[in-house]
Amino acid sequence: KSLEDVLKEKGVITEDDYKNIQKSSPIKYKLGDGFTFTSADGKFSTSIGGVYQLRYTLMDLDDVNNTAAKRAQDYSKFELKRIKLHFNGYAYSPDLTYKMQLNFANIAGGTTNNGGLLEFAWLNYRLRDEIQFRFGQDKVQFGRQWITSSDAQQFVDTSAVTSAFVPGYDTGVMIHGKIAGGLVNYNIGGYGGVGQNTYRTTTDNSFAARLAVNPLGDVKYSESDVEYSVNPLVSFGANFFRDTIYNGETNNLFFAKSTSWYGLGSTLMTKKFSAGEPLDFNTAGADAVFKWRGFSATGEYFFAEADGQTSKNRLRADGFYAQAGYFVIPKTVELAYRYSYIDPNRDVTNDHWVENTGAVSWYINKQNLKIQADYTNIHKQAAIASTSGKNATDDQQVRFQVQMQF
Amino acid sequence: KSLEDVLKEKGVITEDDYKNIQKSSPIKYKLGDGFTFTSADGKFSTSIGGVYQLRYTLMDLDDVNNTAAKRAQDYSKFELKRIKLHFNGYAYSPDLTYKMQLNFANIAGGTTNNGGLLEFAWLNYRLRDEIQFRFGQDKVQFGRQWITSSDAQQFVDTSAVTSAFVPGYDTGVMIHGKIAGGLVNYNIGGYGGVGQNTYRTTTDNSFAARLAVNPLGDVKYSESDVEYSVNPLVSFGANFFRDTIYNGETNNLFFAKSTSWYGLGSTLMTKKFSAGEPLDFNTAGADAVFKWRGFSATGEYFFAEADGQTSKNRLRADGFYAQAGYFVIPKTVELAYRYSYIDPNRDVTNDHWVENTGAVSWYINKQNLKIQADYTNIHKQAAIASTSGKNATDDQQVRFQVQMQF
Amino acid sequence: KSLEDVLKEKGVITEDDYKNIQKSSPIKYKLGDGFTFTSADGKFSTSIGGVYQLRYTLMDLDDVNNTAAKRAQDYSKFELKRIKLHFNGYAYSPDLTYKMQLNFANIAGGTTNNGGLLEFAWLNYRLRDEIQFRFGQDKVQFGRQWITSSDAQQFVDTSAVTSAFVPGYDTGVMIHGKIAGGLVNYNIGGYGGVGQNTYRTTTDNSFAARLAVNPLGDVKYSESDVEYSVNPLVSFGANFFRDTIYNGETNNLFFAKSTSWYGLGSTLMTKKFSAGEPLDFNTAGADAVFKWRGFSATGEYFFAEADGQTSKNRLRADGFYAQAGYFVIPKTVELAYRYSYIDPNRDVTNDHWVENTGAVSWYINKQNLKIQADYTNIHKQAAIASTSGKNATDDQQVRFQVQMQF
């Protein structure tokens, strides 16, 4: 029993006093935020919390291109997928907010992976809801599923399409706002252009813009209808991203990894880009969401193009995913299915990457504590098959994941 | 004076109320845990704390194999040996506990050392004391001294034998429990098989099992009898570990380092393992502890074997340590002595590694705040001598360490 | 409203009680420290806070040595310059203080930069104000501007001179104290000798000593007179540092970087040091500060010498900066100017590095929340010009920075 409880019982303070006091408590636990400390004058607040994603993956690679002597190496992997801590809050005024997030799973195997420890490190000033300024490292606001936290996914992880087309994190400035209580949200930003925790000394910065329309009310960036929306919700979004990268330049951009559209597609070009030449990247995407009474559906399409400034050669790619889920036990157990498709080079054939995924999720405490399992058939056509040879491959992947926010 | 103090003085609340309130305080300092925050509903708790191990080492290497012109390089080293932060607690229920521990001293010299920042990153679910499940990164439960925290050692650090034979940290799953209030403790676990913050894409996982029997009551994994046990305590343990590693594979396993049994022993083999061949490792150990009235004694024996799957070659090693300490000033000043012995390859001669260590420790606040110094004679026979030549070497090492938990 | 507020209103507690209770609060926000937790017995305290330095830099390199085809690469860079978290406090007694500070911006581009994550990691025992002992990693107490926190600078960053002559962080021991309430401060320390988070196995440790005299009262290590000192403040300091480094040895010493006095100067030597030869470094510096009614002036001079133990060759360098600022709007808006000069090798000509910097700073909440912009003309004579050629270069640098402590 707390002091407030005792004094309320004794009649020293009233029920109203009690409620006021609870509200002004300097320390509170908030789901998703963790422990929140607030200064007596209300001008400063810090929340300290974290999230664990502990994963087991079983991968059965297709042996169709192999001989009896040369087998593909299957694997069985226990993994600290994401181990994050965050320090969020506001300082000097509730209008000046900040978010610092560290992912310690990004140091593994003796080196820094996935761009390093720092994910978010931004400062946001709210002039009014409609006009806000952000400075620092943030998710580049391109791709609905990417903007959605890895903690709030319908499957064990984002789709292969999202990983293949989004830029990832970067440092820069952004103007953004919510208009009419979230019916329209916009973001316009300029960034360094080489991704998370990476810098370069050129003047080639990148640019991103996004517009989302939510005609029936604001729709959070969170997959699944774990809240059981009594009224239907829809959201439509469109985004654009442009950047200039030197061919072969070291960067932490997601779309430039060897398994992404540019990584895969550029190796298949008949007339390749020159070494070190500047490439102009233009990427566009559109997305839609529907949620109602435990049912949710999301779809997203991406188109991307890279143009060599000197060689004048061109690479074009596209891809999309569509996913739907339904809570067979409302707010608790969900079944979901996803189809995803990537064509990393539209000018060559036999290079499609198609994934079919089925998932079952047990939301013990909404997105805060959940256990998920999914099964994926990974189909890669011969030009990009997982084992080299003349045949397409179908790899079978089973993942199991426990997620806990504290 | 706190509000509770004032209200108790004024007679507004009773002594009993006061005690209840103290118990329900949302913020408390706990020795060893640090500041502990608890939510009003009692479902969430986080402790934030850390530990410093600041060390000075003076090493005088034996010059017996050297000429006047070629001297061994002695050293004088100030070191941040361990600088740790932890975020421990429970979430959603006191039965769902977690532990996250970071060691920032593991980034030094511009690179990641000793496996990286994350040490513990696990989630534990207690079905009942006897049946508990753990998922994530933990110490592989093999070797009493290794399971014992580096904060609770009788000497400045663990023995050379422990470093040479234990697997270290790894990610996996474990079933464990305490039976009959700790008279019997057991652990059975499966792990990735390549150690701390490291993953590989094979199906060769590792396995560990341990059984500890404490006939006179549960014995904590903490060296020295700083608590001054009025009644005698004894503990007997046995553990087993198996793994498959590819010869030359990159990993963070302690026993695969160049200075450990496998690292030293394999270079001395007459018929060596083939490059890249899979090796089956089987390791077993047994240990015993006795504590009474400020006196404590611990001993542990290890046996290890590596078998080449294709070459059929075999490496066998063993080693042990025995240590004892006594508080000349009860609960405050302890003198301790340790003998340790490693034979990294039982099939060759002249490869023994023997250490004799004497320590004096001042426990200012038990294991939480202490100052320790130890002196070690490191005797290495000619085949593994610290300076190459035909003679065994005797190096002299003096260490001084301040340890503080906050 | 807090419980104390309610009880004071109801007359249950007095105004005096109220004040006492506020003082004993287990959780408080302190500017610069962050949220501070204190145990009920007053023996333990931890402050958790952090600082953001978010920077934009525009660099226009001089093209004087270039042809039309070969242009210097200007740059436009958004940067997480410093993203720090600290865990400070005391434990077991207010006399045993500690400071742990992490800079997460030091992991970027996939590697560890600027010496790594850990900046401060020390333990300080205060026997009395005049005699204190410190063990761990700290700023080597050499160079006033270096000792001054990067959060408390008058310009966007420290001068090129400071970066070129100071040793940086290192691990070691220090005796220090404040005499007569801060009229005289002294530090004497011994360190590992190779800088931040780096160790070596030799017996060549380094040594530093500093004396500061503040005849009109203690002067904090903080630039600018943002406090608007009604009475004039002056400070005079002198420091000395010596070290032995092997030519080409890997280290994290600031003065050994390629852009510092030793890095620049040694490449210009006519009789060079031998590879790997031990070099004796001796560095001395003197500094002075004056502050009054919003005006502040600081100057610092360094002299450095490296002597080859075997080659007997010698390198000598010196440098200084002088800066002054005035608050055109008291406590809020300051204009400042700095001149800095480095001669990395006094025995050759045409190697001077001169910077002229003008800054404007808006102190929204003193040094805790401020926005700064500065412009620098970087003049490098031909021997060290930023683009190789026969002419000196003048590069133009504009920086903009937001700093927030939370």
Side-chain angles (χ1 to χ4, degrees):
Chain A
K1 275 197 291 190
S2 73
L3 182 51
E4 298 91 280
D5 293 328
V6 170
L7 295 176
K8 193 180 65 173
E9 275 174 24
K10 288 187 192 296
V12 177
I13 61 170
T14 65
E15 186 69 37
D16 265 12
D17 291 338
Y18 184 83
K19 279 179 195 159
N20 273 322
I21 291 158
Q22 295 294 86
K23 253 181 248 158
S24 82
S25 171
I27 164 170
K28 274 185 203 173
Y29 184 84
K30 292 186 194 168
L31 275 169
D33 278 347
F35 280 95
T36 300
F37 310 105
T38 308
S39 67
D41 63 6
K43 287 190 181 164
F44 294 88
S45 181
T46 299
S47 296
I48 302 179
V51 64
Y52 273 22
Q53 281 189 355
L54 306 173
R55 186 181 293 183
Y56 174 75
T57 305
L58 187 65
M59 177 66 92
D60 180 10
L61 295 181
D62 196 335
D63 269 313
V64 68
N65 288 318
N66 294 343
T67 59
K70 171 187 161 254
R71 312 293 297 171
Q73 179 65 69
D74 300 335
Y75 63 83
S76 153
K77 183 155 89 165
F78 296 98
E79 197 178 2
L80 303 177
K81 187 61 192 179
R82 294 182 177 92
I83 303 288
K84 303 189 181 187
L85 271 185
H86 64 246
F87 296 82
N88 304 339
Y90 55 83
Y92 308 95
S93 151
D95 289 328
L96 186 64
T97 51
Y98 61 88
K99 177 165 188 161
M100 186 196 295
Q101 187 172 288
L102 298 157
N103 185 351
F104 293 105
N106 281 351
I107 292 194
T111 65
T112 308
N113 304 301
N114 305 321
L117 290 181
L118 269 176
E119 296 186 333
F120 297 108
W122 52 249
L123 210 55
N124 191 86
Y125 181 68
R126 198 191 72 99
L127 190 64
R128 40 186 295 177
D129 279 350
E130 290 82 358
I131 305 175
Q132 308 192 40
F133 303 93
R134 190 171 288 191
F135 190 8
Q137 184 164 280
D138 194 6
K139 287 186 174 185
V140 176
Q141 302 287 300
F142 179 86
R144 168 174 287 272
Q145 196 167 53
W146 164 242
I147 297 169
T148 303
S149 170
S150 60
D151 313 344
Q153 298 285 323
Q154 196 158 27
F155 294 78
V156 169
D157 217 323
T158 58
S159 71
V161 183
T162 293
S163 309
F165 284 89
V166 306
Y169 295 92
D170 209 343
T171 299
V173 290
M174 182 166 75
I175 298 179
H176 66 113
K178 268 178 196 287
I179 295 168
L183 294 191
V184 176
N185 295 326
Y186 74 92
N187 307 271
I188 301 169
Y191 302 92
V194 278
Q196 190 180 358
N197 295 316
T198 316
Y199 308 110
R200 63 176 168 191
T201 48
T202 76
T203 49
D204 301 297
N205 298 131
S206 70
F207 170 82
R210 175 171 172 84
L211 186 73
V213 180
N214 306 310
L216 305 180
D218 201 4
V219 179
K220 289 195 305 178
Y221 284 101
S222 175
E223 297 187 351
S224 299
D225 190 28
V226 67
E227 293 82 6
Y228 196 81
S229 310
V230 174
N231 296 313
L233 286 172
V234 288
S235 180
F236 301 99
N239 30 230
F240 173 75
F241 175 74
R242 72 163 283 122
D243 199 357
T244 300
I245 299 171
Y246 297 76
N247 192 16
E249 180 179 27
T250 301
N251 64 62
N252 283 326
L253 294 163
F254 289 9
F255 67 75
K257 288 184 184 169
S258 61
T259 54
S260 298
W261 77 264
Y262 169 68
L264 291 170
S266 61
T267 62
L268 302 175
M269 289 169 81
T270 41
K271 290 179 172 182
K272 292 201 164 52
F273 295 130
S274 322
E277 96 169 292
L279 309 176
D280 288 326
F281 284 79
N282 286 286
T283 317
D287 54 84
V289 172
F290 175 75
K291 290 190 184 193
W292 195 31
R293 295 183 173 268
F295 173 81
S296 60
T298 311
E300 194 161 4
Y301 172 79
F302 294 106
F303 174 82
E305 183 171 323
D307 292 277
Q309 286 187 7
T310 52
S311 70
K312 303 297 177 195
N313 291 332
R314 189 177 72 166
L315 172 66
R316 296 177 312 142
D318 68 353
F320 71 91
Y321 71 87
Q323 66 186 44
Y326 182 69
F327 276 82
V328 292
I329 303 176
K331 303 184 178 186
T332 308
V333 176
E334 185 192 38
L335 300 180
Y337 167 74
R338 176 162 69 200
Y339 177 85
S340 73
Y341 167 96
I342 302 171
D343 181 352
N345 187 333
R346 295 184 65 180
D347 300 317
V348 302
T349 56
N350 235 355
D351 67 334
H352 294 180
W353 174 355
V354 173
E355 296 199 355
N356 279 278
T357 307
V360 53
S361 302
W362 177 22
Y363 295 81
I364 302 169
N365 185 314
K366 296 190 181 167
Q367 302 278 14
N368 306 301
L369 179 64
K370 64 179 179 180
I371 299 176
Q372 295 182 292
D374 64 14
Y375 161 79
T376 305
N377 180 291
I378 303 168
H379 177 79
K380 291 180 174 174
Q381 290 188 333
I384 60 163
S386 64
T387 54
S388 61
K390 68 180 184 350
N391 299 298
T393 52
D394 283 278
D395 302 324
Q396 317 301 320
Q397 175 188 261
V398 175
R399 300 183 292 192
F400 170 83
Q401 186 166 280
V402 177
Q403 176 180 305
M404 185 202 59
Q405 297 197 27
F406 62 88
Chain B
K1 274 194 294 188
S2 73
L3 183 51
E4 297 90 280
D5 293 329
V6 171
L7 295 176
K8 193 179 67 175
E9 276 174 22
K10 289 189 191 293
V12 178
I13 59 170
T14 66
E15 186 69 38
D16 266 13
D17 290 337
Y18 184 82
K19 280 181 194 156
N20 273 322
I21 289 159
Q22 294 294 84
K23 253 181 247 158
S24 83
S25 172
I27 164 168
K28 275 183 201 174
Y29 185 82
K30 293 185 194 168
L31 275 169
D33 277 347
F35 281 95
T36 299
F37 310 104
T38 307
S39 66
D41 63 6
K43 287 188 181 166
F44 294 87
S45 181
T46 299
S47 296
I48 302 180
V51 65
Y52 273 22
Q53 281 189 355
L54 307 173
R55 186 181 293 184
Y56 174 76
T57 305
L58 187 64
M59 176 67 90
D60 179 9
L61 294 182
D62 195 336
D63 268 311
V64 67
N65 290 318
N66 295 345
T67 59
K70 170 186 162 252
R71 312 294 298 171
Q73 177 65 68
D74 300 335
Y75 63 83
S76 153
K77 183 155 89 165
F78 296 98
E79 196 179 3
L80 303 177
K81 187 61 191 178
R82 292 179 179 93
I83 304 288
K84 303 188 183 189
L85 271 185
H86 65 247
F87 297 82
N88 303 338
Y90 55 82
Y92 308 95
S93 153
D95 290 329
L96 186 64
T97 51
Y98 60 89
K99 178 165 188 160
M100 186 195 295
Q101 187 172 286
L102 298 158
N103 186 349
F104 293 105
N106 281 352
I107 292 195
T111 65
T112 307
N113 303 301
N114 304 322
L117 289 181
L118 269 175
E119 296 186 335
F120 297 108
W122 52 250
L123 210 56
N124 192 84
Y125 182 68
R126 198 192 72 99
L127 190 63
R128 39 188 294 177
D129 279 350
E130 290 83 358
I131 306 175
Q132 307 192 38
F133 303 93
R134 191 171 288 190
F135 189 8
Q137 185 164 281
D138 194 7
K139 289 187 172 184
V140 176
Q141 301 288 300
F142 179 87
R144 167 175 288 273
Q145 196 168 52
W146 164 241
I147 297 169
T148 303
S149 170
S150 60
D151 313 342
Q153 298 285 322
Q154 196 158 28
F155 294 78
V156 170
D157 217 324
T158 57
S159 71
V161 183
T162 292
S163 308
F165 284 90
V166 306
Y169 293 92
D170 208 344
T171 300
V173 289
M174 181 166 76
I175 298 178
H176 65 114
K178 270 181 195 283
I179 295 168
L183 295 191
V184 176
N185 295 327
Y186 73 94
N187 307 271
I188 303 169
Y191 302 91
V194 277
Q196 189 180 358
N197 295 316
T198 316
Y199 308 110
R200 62 177 169 191
T201 48
T202 76
T203 49
D204 299 297
N205 299 129
S206 71
F207 170 83
R210 174 170 173 85
L211 186 72
V213 179
N214 306 310
L216 305 180
D218 200 4
V219 179
K220 288 194 307 177
Y221 283 100
S222 175
E223 296 186 351
S224 300
D225 190 28
V226 68
E227 292 84 4
Y228 196 82
S229 311
V230 175
N231 296 312
L233 285 172
V234 288
S235 180
F236 302 100
N239 31 228
F240 173 75
F241 174 75
R242 70 164 284 120
D243 199 356
T244 301
I245 299 171
Y246 296 75
N247 194 14
E249 181 179 26
T250 300
N251 64 60
N252 281 326
L253 294 163
F254 289 11
F255 66 76
K257 287 183 186 171
S258 62
T259 53
S260 298
W261 76 265
Y262 169 69
L264 291 171
S266 61
T267 62
L268 303 175
M269 289 170 79
T270 42
K271 291 179 171 180
K272 291 202 165 52
F273 295 128
S274 322
E277 96 168 294
L279 308 176
D280 289 325
F281 284 79
N282 286 285
T283 317
D287 54 85
V289 172
F290 175 75
K291 290 189 182 191
W292 195 30
R293 294 182 175 270
F295 173 81
S296 61
T298 310
E300 192 161 4
Y301 172 79
F302 293 106
F303 174 83
E305 184 172 322
D307 292 277
Q309 286 189 7
T310 52
S311 71
K312 304 296 174 195
N313 291 333
R314 191 177 70 168
L315 172 66
R316 295 177 314 143
D318 67 353
F320 71 92
Y321 71 88
Q323 64 186 46
Y326 181 69
F327 277 83
V328 292
I329 303 176
K331 303 186 179 185
T332 306
V333 176
E334 184 192 37
L335 300 180
Y337 167 75
R338 175 162 72 199
Y339 177 86
S340 74
Y341 166 97
I342 302 171
D343 181 353
N345 187 334
R346 297 185 63 180
D347 300 317
V348 302
T349 56
N350 235 355
D351 66 335
H352 293 180
W353 175 355
V354 173
E355 296 197 357
N356 280 278
T357 307
V360 53
S361 303
W362 178 22
Y363 294 80
I364 302 169
N365 184 315
K366 296 190 182 171
Q367 302 279 13
N368 307 301
L369 180 65
K370 63 179 181 181
I371 298 176
Q372 295 182 291
D374 64 15
Y375 161 79
T376 305
N377 179 291
I378 303 169
H379 177 79
K380 291 179 175 176
Q381 290 188 333
I384 60 164
S386 64
T387 53
S388 61
K390 66 180 187 346
N391 299 298
T393 51
D394 283 277
D395 302 324
Q396 318 299 322
Q397 174 189 261
V398 175
R399 300 184 292 193
F400 170 84
Q401 185 166 280
V402 177
Q403 175 179 307
M404 184 203 59
Q405 297 197 26
F406 63 87
Chain C
K1 277 194 293 191
S2 73
L3 183 51
E4 297 91 281
D5 293 328
V6 171
L7 295 175
K8 194 181 65 176
E9 276 174 26
K10 288 186 192 296
V12 177
I13 60 171
T14 65
E15 187 68 39
D16 266 13
D17 290 338
Y18 184 83
K19 279 180 195 157
N20 272 322
I21 290 159
Q22 295 295 85
K23 252 183 250 160
S24 83
S25 172
I27 164 169
K28 274 186 205 172
Y29 184 84
K30 293 185 195 168
L31 275 169
D33 277 348
F35 281 95
T36 300
F37 310 104
T38 308
S39 65
D41 63 5
K43 289 190 180 163
F44 294 88
S45 181
T46 299
S47 295
I48 302 180
V51 66
Y52 274 21
Q53 279 189 356
L54 306 174
R55 186 180 293 182
Y56 174 75
T57 305
L58 187 64
M59 175 68 92
D60 179 10
L61 295 180
D62 196 336
D63 270 311
V64 67
N65 289 319
N66 295 343
T67 58
K70 171 186 163 250
R71 312 295 296 172
Q73 178 64 70
D74 300 335
Y75 63 84
S76 153
K77 183 155 89 166
F78 296 99
E79 197 179 3
L80 303 177
K81 187 61 191 179
R82 293 181 177 92
I83 304 288
K84 302 189 182 188
L85 271 186
H86 64 247
F87 298 79
N88 303 339
Y90 55 83
Y92 309 96
S93 152
D95 289 329
L96 186 64
T97 51
Y98 61 89
K99 178 165 188 162
M100 186 195 295
Q101 187 172 288
L102 298 156
N103 186 350
F104 293 105
N106 281 351
I107 291 194
T111 66
T112 308
N113 304 301
N114 305 321
L117 290 182
L118 269 174
E119 296 187 333
F120 297 107
W122 51 249
L123 209 56
N124 192 85
Y125 181 68
R126 197 191 72 99
L127 191 63
R128 40 187 294 176
D129 279 350
E130 290 81 359
I131 307 175
Q132 308 191 40
F133 303 93
R134 191 171 287 191
F135 190 7
Q137 185 163 280
D138 195 5
K139 287 187 173 184
V140 176
Q141 300 288 299
F142 179 86
R144 168 175 287 271
Q145 195 167 53
W146 163 240
I147 297 169
T148 303
S149 170
S150 60
D151 313 342
Q153 299 285 322
Q154 196 157 27
F155 294 78
V156 170
D157 218 325
T158 58
S159 71
V161 183
T162 292
S163 308
F165 284 89
V166 306
Y169 294 92
D170 208 345
T171 299
V173 290
M174 180 168 76
I175 298 179
H176 65 114
K178 270 180 195 287
I179 295 167
L183 293 192
V184 176
N185 295 327
Y186 74 92
N187 308 270
I188 302 168
Y191 302 91
V194 277
Q196 189 180 358
N197 296 315
T198 316
Y199 309 110
R200 62 177 170 191
T201 48
T202 77
T203 49
D204 299 297
N205 299 131
S206 71
F207 170 83
R210 175 171 172 84
L211 185 74
V213 180
N214 305 310
L216 306 180
D218 201 4
V219 179
K220 288 194 306 177
Y221 283 101
S222 175
E223 296 187 350
S224 301
D225 190 27
V226 67
E227 293 82 5
Y228 195 81
S229 309
V230 175
N231 297 311
L233 286 172
V234 289
S235 180
F236 301 99
N239 29 231
F240 174 73
F241 175 75
R242 70 165 283 122
D243 198 359
T244 300
I245 299 171
Y246 296 77
N247 193 13
E249 181 179 26
T250 301
N251 64 60
N252 283 326
L253 294 163
F254 290 10
F255 67 75
K257 287 183 185 171
S258 61
T259 54
S260 297
W261 76 265
Y262 168 68
L264 291 171
S266 61
T267 61
L268 302 175
M269 290 170 77
T270 41
K271 290 180 172 181
K272 292 202 164 53
F273 295 129
S274 322
E277 100 169 288
L279 309 176
D280 288 327
F281 284 80
N282 286 285
T283 318
D287 53 84
V289 172
F290 175 74
K291 290 189 184 192
W292 195 31
R293 294 184 175 265
F295 173 80
S296 59
T298 311
E300 192 161 4
Y301 172 79
F302 294 107
F303 174 82
E305 182 171 323
D307 292 277
Q309 287 189 4
T310 52
S311 71
K312 305 293 175 198
N313 291 332
R314 191 179 70 167
L315 172 67
R316 295 177 313 143
D318 68 354
F320 71 91
Y321 70 87
Q323 64 187 46
Y326 181 68
F327 276 82
V328 291
I329 304 176
K331 304 187 179 183
T332 307
V333 176
E334 185 191 36
L335 299 180
Y337 167 74
R338 177 163 69 201
Y339 178 86
S340 72
Y341 166 96
I342 303 171
D343 181 353
N345 187 333
R346 297 184 64 179
D347 300 318
V348 302
T349 55
N350 234 354
D351 66 335
H352 294 180
W353 173 355
V354 173
E355 296 197 357
N356 279 278
T357 307
V360 54
S361 302
W362 177 22
Y363 295 80
I364 303 170
N365 184 315
K366 297 191 182 171
Q367 302 277 14
N368 307 301
L369 179 64
K370 64 178 179 182
I371 298 177
Q372 294 182 293
D374 64 13
Y375 160 79
T376 305
N377 179 292
I378 303 168
H379 177 80
K380 291 179 173 175
Q381 288 187 336
I384 60 163
S386 63
T387 54
S388 61
K390 67 181 186 346
N391 298 299
T393 51
D394 283 277
D395 303 324
Q396 318 300 321
Q397 175 189 262
V398 175
R399 299 183 294 191
F400 170 83
Q401 185 167 280
V402 178
Q403 175 179 306
M404 185 203 59
Q405 297 197 29
F406 62 86

